[in-house]
Amino acid sequence: MKNFVQPGNTITLTAPYAVTSGDGLLVGSIFGLASGTAALGEPVETALTGVFDITKIGSQAWTAGARIYWDDTNKRTTNVATSNTLIGVATEAVAGGAGDTTGRVRLNGAF
């Protein structure tokens, strides 16, 4: 097609805060994971779809298939919807111990 731009699995966004590779970032309604390092206001390639291990709140247990949200204030994932942005679903159960701070998430790429 003459109007095709790119596949859309990754896009270049302006970093809303300093990020390093693997960090989550929220730009408006677009959530993704930084593919590299960028300072505030710099362009950064951002993955919008796929399955990733992402920092989560340690005190939360997740079940496979649970909706997962981005807490932009604390820059981590959560299963709490209030004041957070839906980003995908958990693909594995995760325990809720203090040391369980990583969860596997399939990003929905819907926004």
Side-chain angles (χ1 to χ4, degrees), residues 5-27:
V5 176
Q6 68 187 63
N9 297 331
T10 62
I11 61 173
T12 303
L13 294 173
T14 301
Y17 33 79
V19 293
T20 59
S21 181
D23 286 350
L25 62 143
L26 185 65
V27 178

Side-chain angles (χ1 to χ4, degrees), residues 72-109:
D72 201 46
T73 300
N74 296 299
K75 310 297 186 261
R76 60 188 177 184
T77 56
T78 177
N79 59 10
V80 176
T82 306
S83 301
N84 297 312
T85 302
L86 179 64
I87 63 166
V89 296
T91 61
E92 296 179 355
V94 182
D100 298 312
T101 58
T102 302
R104 188 156 290 169
V105 179
R106 182 185 61 82
L107 298 182
N108 66 16

Side-chain angles (χ1 to χ4, degrees), residues 27-91:
V27 178
S29 294
I30 304 170
F31 177 82
L33 296 173
S35 296
T37 299
L40 167 69
E42 290 185 343
V44 61
E45 284 298 304
T46 307
L48 304 179
T49 61
V51 179
F52 298 91
D53 289 335
I54 309 175
T55 301
K56 68 177 258 313
I57 295 173
S59 61
Q60 290 181 350
W62 292 1
T63 57
R67 290 178 185 234
I68 302 301
Y69 301 84
W70 179 250
D71 173 353
D72 201 46
T73 300
N74 296 299
K75 310 297 186 261
R76 60 188 177 184
T77 56
T78 177
N79 59 10
V80 176
T82 306
S83 301
N84 297 312
T85 302
L86 179 64
I87 63 166
V89 296
T91 61

